[in-house]
Amino acid sequence: KSIPNGIGEFGSLAQVGVDMSVKHITRIRGGKIYQGKKKAEILEYGEIPYTLDKNEKGEDVKCWKLGYGVYSLTFHQGVKIDNKHCGMVIGRSSTNRCAMLLRSGVFDPGFECEEAGATLYVFADGQVEIQEGARLGQLVLAECEESSEYNGSYQGDKDLK
């Protein structure tokens, strides 16, 4: 089946997809995209300091405070897409309500990785606080014509950080 790995403590099936929970956040400061099939090059990532916050169980968890900008997210969940589907991570409604937009690229048929990633755009005038393990995105799948499986340069990669 075309569902992410690691469903459990940090992930769960949703009505139309699978919830994706944040593991790590860095700021994207720029990059370069080449013609042809060479991987995109991120020119600089900025580490974001975190504080410790209490989750609903009273346990200490990382908490990132984000301002206006563009961020790279790494999720606790990976993905494994079969050759009859493609997928994309989109933001949950709560992400949108907090003035954020979340998108991944399209995961082609046959793509798999241990930790999926996406880009988070924060449009808020003030700060947005995000705890580690927060469900920010949702992997949604679409049927597509059966095709050869993905064998590109990102196969099996973790996020580029």
Side-chain angles (χ1 to χ4, degrees):
K1 291 207 170 193
S2 297
I3 59 174
N5 304 317
I7 296 173
E9 179 183 355
F10 289 104
S12 60
L13 291 173
Q15 289 176 310
V16 295
V18 178
D19 286 337
M20 305 293 280
S21 61
V22 67
K23 179 178 182 177
H24 190 75
I25 303 174
T26 56
R27 188 173 187 121
I28 299 173
R29 301 195 186 279
K32 182 175 183 179
I33 298 176
Y34 298 91
Q35 68 180 28
K37 294 190 175 190
K38 186 175 180 180
K39 282 185 180 185
E41 179 181 346
I42 304 301
L43 298 178
E44 183 182 351
Y45 280 109
E47 281 299 318
I48 301 169
Y50 59 85
T51 59
L52 291 180
D53 199 4
K54 299 286 185 192
N55 65 14
E56 293 175 345
K57 298 176 185 175
E59 303 163 329
D60 286 338
V61 293
K62 293 178 185 176
C63 182
W64 292 275
K65 296 178 181 179
L66 308 179
Y68 184 89
V70 182
Y71 300 87
S72 178
L73 299 185
T74 301
F75 295 109
H76 284 281
Q77 297 77 24
V79 296
K80 182 175 183 179
I81 309 292
D82 65 25
N83 65 349
K84 295 180 183 177
H85 292 87
C86 60
M88 179 183 291
V89 178
I90 60 173
R92 293 170 45 88
S93 60
S94 54
T95 306
N96 292 334
R97 289 185 185 118
C98 289
M100 298 182 289
L101 176 66
L102 184 133
R103 293 293 295 258
S104 73
V106 174
F107 299 130
D108 292 321
F111 177 78
E112 62 181 278
C113 64
E114 290 183 28
E115 296 175 338
T119 303
L120 179 69
Y121 305 87
V122 176
F123 299 106
D125 289 334
Q127 283 191 330
V128 176
E129 296 184 21
I130 299 173
Q131 288 185 346
E132 180 183 14
R135 296 176 302 152
L136 295 185
Q138 191 170 59
L139 172 68
V140 292
L141 299 174
E143 285 187 50
C144 57
E145 289 188 27
E146 190 169 345
S147 67
S148 60
E149 291 190 352
Y150 177 81
N151 192 22
S153 58
Y154 293 101
Q155 183 71 296
D157 271 359
K158 293 185 180 179
D159 200 11
L160 298 175
K161 294 183 261 325

